[in-house]
Amino acid sequence: MPRPPSDRPERIADASLEIIATSGLHALTHRSIDAKLGFPAGTTSYYARTRAELIARAVTRLIQRFSDVTTDFPLDELTTDDQAGAAIVGVATILGGNESDLVARFVLQIDLRDDPELHPLLNATSRSQQVTLEPVTDLLERLDIPDAAEHARGLLAHIAGLLLARPTG
């Protein structure tokens, strides 16, 4: 009988995000994850050979979490400014409710800004940004907002600033 798939990769990514949010990116090591999860030494290294791979897994998990919470907002069904405003407030409220992910996201964005290998995972052209930008741009286009893509980037920057204010007081 085949072994069921392990949940360890997901647990490792979740623990990585928690360590990043509580102690900073410098505290993220294979050993710190093994210790946090009670794994035998070397377990995390089996799933993520390098620190860069570990960080990439954490970023991928963060994107997945974001996608999971935003799928409940069918932006393609919104047709009025009031509906759009309510949806944007709703998404921002949900995202603001997970302070740990917010902090991890901002730590990663700041600490990886000069990393040529990992910064592309979070920069303006990354999958994580496109997951957000495309539906917001589509929404603004449906609402006949001129220069929808540019305004979507501005709107998302404002929301990011508001979200940053939450954990920083």
Side-chain angles (χ1 to χ4, degrees):
M1 183 169 168
R3 280 175 76 174
S6 173
D7 67 343
R8 283 182 173 175
E10 187 173 288
R11 290 177 60 204
I12 289 168
D14 289 339
S16 297
L17 290 171
E18 189 175 329
I19 290 168
I20 292 167
T22 58
S23 302
L25 190 57
H26 66 280
L28 181 66
T29 65
H30 291 80
R31 287 182 182 178
S32 67
I33 294 171
D34 285 341
K36 180 167 193 55
L37 295 174
F39 289 164
T43 301
T44 297
S45 295
Y46 175 80
Y47 292 96
R49 295 267 179 223
T50 66
R51 188 164 187 272
E53 188 177 344
L54 194 57
I55 293 169
R57 285 178 177 268
V59 170
T60 300
R61 181 69 173 137
L62 192 60
I63 294 166
Q64 179 188 2
R65 286 182 183 180
F66 174 81
S67 295
D68 289 349
V69 299
T70 57
T71 56
D72 291 338
F73 289 88
L75 297 181
D76 56 338
E77 295 177 12
L78 305 177
T79 56
T80 68
D81 292 350
D82 288 343
Q83 290 173 332
I88 290 167
V89 169
V91 170
T93 301
I94 287 172
L95 293 176
N98 189 339
E99 188 170 302
S100 181
D101 280 0
L102 280 178
V103 172
R105 175 181 164 226
F106 289 121
V107 167
L108 287 162
Q109 286 180 315
I110 292 167
D111 286 355
L112 299 178
R113 70 186 178 279
D114 295 324
D115 187 309
E117 181 182 355
L118 295 170
H119 183 255
L121 296 173
L122 295 162
N123 68 14
T125 60
S126 69
R127 179 177 158 250
S128 65
Q129 294 297 318
Q130 295 308 312
V131 163
T132 310
L133 184 60
E134 289 172 4
V136 172
T137 300
D138 291 345
L139 171 62
L140 295 182
E141 286 173 348
R142 279 196 320 280
L143 295 173
D144 294 323
I145 304 293
D147 301 318
E150 186 62 31
H151 287 297
R153 281 188 284 281
L155 176 60
L156 292 172
H158 284 293
I159 292 170
L162 293 170
L163 292 174
L164 177 60
R166 181 172 294 239
T168 60

